Amino acid sequence: MGGFDDYKPVLAMFGLQFTYAGLALFARASLVQGLSPRVFVVYRQAAATLFISPVAFLWRRQLVAGLHISHWKRLLLVDLADSAVITLLLEQDPEAWKLQSKLGIASVLYAGIVGSGISFFVQSWCISQRGPLFSAMFNPLGTVIVTILAAIFLHEEIYTGSLAGAIGVVAGLYLVLWGKAKDPVEINGETEPKIRIDCAHTVKLSVDGLSPEKLSSIKCDLSEPLLSDTSADKANPV
């Protein structure tokens, strides 16, 4: 792996954060027009299931990818059933289930196909290439992107306090993730030498307290197996 291939996971995660930002803006706009949040979730799960199911069927013969996608499809089916039952109990007005505008239809399709389907493949690939910590490091970037795009397209005002809070949250999350990434290095660099020093010190103390005659007998004993036939006969007399 080298050259441009090294930057593919980075570019993929950047694109994924813009995808999530678009999902947030689409959902916000459709909910403002009157779409029920519960109905939106049901339609999103349905669109995602319809998108994932053919892919899982086509890839079912591939061991790793097929099992992974099939598991994700089952989760989507369970979520779809749960959300549909709850929404049917709470949203008894038939008008609430109608998508009144093209924006509502587009937001549902985008949320299901792109926000739940394609993003699943992209994030799974990035995690397989760089690990889960690498994927999590880009999540705070989505907050900044949503704030900027909301100000541009939805004409939302950005206040100084909100901007400072967003910067503080992003900085704090990156600091925590950076510290988590440093933990294995510190453990490998500090703990193991101490263990080796302690072990060497213990051996040295035990050897200094013995006479050469006893030390030679211990060497002879160490050359023998821990459970010899003689010791086994003594422990289990017939």
Side-chain angles (χ1 to χ4, degrees), residues 1 10 13 15 18 43 48 53 65 68 70 75 83 90 108 113 129-130 139 143 154 157 169 178 182 191 201 233:
M1 201 173 179
V10 178
M13 289 306 303
F18 278 96
Y43 286 153
S53 297
H68 199 181
S70 298
L75 290 178
S83 58
L90 298 178
V108 167
I113 297 174
Q129 295 294 316
R130 296 292 183 86
N139 290 337
T143 304
L154 300 181
E157 296 182 359
V169 169
W178 177 80
K182 296 287 291 183
T191 307
H201 185 60
D233 295 339

Side-chain angles (χ1 to χ4, degrees), residues 186-199:
E186 293 179 357
I187 292 174
N188 293 333
E190 295 181 2
T191 307
E192 292 180 358
K194 290 181 179 180
I195 294 175
R196 288 196 297 267
I197 292 173
D198 292 341
C199 292

Side-chain angles (χ1 to χ4, degrees), residues 46-223:
T49 304
L50 292 176
F51 176 77
I52 292 289
S53 297
V55 178
F57 177 78
L58 293 175
W59 286 3
R60 71 187 186 278
R61 296 183 181 275
Q62 298 183 9
L63 180 61
V64 178
L67 290 177
H68 199 181
I69 296 174
S70 298
H71 179 66
W72 179 243
K73 183 187 72 173
R74 287 193 294 270
L75 290 178
L76 286 176
L77 288 173
V78 173
D79 291 340
L80 174 60
D82 291 342
S83 58
V85 170
I86 295 174
T87 306
L88 285 172
L89 294 176
L90 298 178
E91 297 288 350
Q92 299 181 359
D93 184 9
E95 294 295 326
W97 291 85
K98 295 181 180 180
L99 297 176
Q100 304 292 343
S101 64
K102 295 181 179 179
L103 178 61
I105 299 174
S107 62
V108 167
L109 294 177
Y110 181 88
I113 297 174
V114 180
S116 296
I118 297 177
S119 63
F120 166 75
F121 296 109
V122 175
Q123 190 165 10
S124 299
W125 178 79
C126 291
I127 291 175
S128 67
Q129 295 294 316
R130 296 292 183 86
L133 182 61
F134 173 82
S135 176
M137 289 178 63
F138 288 86
N139 290 337
L141 184 62
T143 304
V144 179
I145 296 175
V146 169
T147 302
I148 296 174
L149 294 182
I152 295 174
F153 295 102
L154 300 181
H155 306 289
E156 293 186 357
E157 296 182 359
I158 301 178
Y159 298 97
T160 305
S162 301
L163 183 61
I167 294 174
V169 169
V170 172
L173 288 174
Y174 274 110
L175 184 62
V176 172
L177 293 172
W178 177 80
K180 288 291 185 181
K182 296 287 291 183
D183 283 345
V185 178
E186 293 179 357
I187 292 174
N188 293 333
E190 295 181 2
T191 307
E192 292 180 358
K194 290 181 179 180
I195 294 175
R196 288 196 297 267
I197 292 173
D198 292 341
C199 292
H201 185 60
T202 304
V203 172
K204 185 175 182 298
L205 288 176
S206 61
V207 171
D208 288 343
L210 298 176
S211 62
E213 293 80 6
K214 292 183 179 181
L215 183 59
S216 60
S217 64
I218 291 177
K219 289 181 179 179
C220 295
D221 293 337
L222 290 176
S223 62

Side-chain angles (χ1 to χ4, degrees), residues 219-231:
K219 289 181 179 179
C220 295
D221 293 337
L222 290 176
S223 62
E224 297 179 358
L226 294 177
L227 293 177
S228 60
D229 296 336
T230 306
S231 58

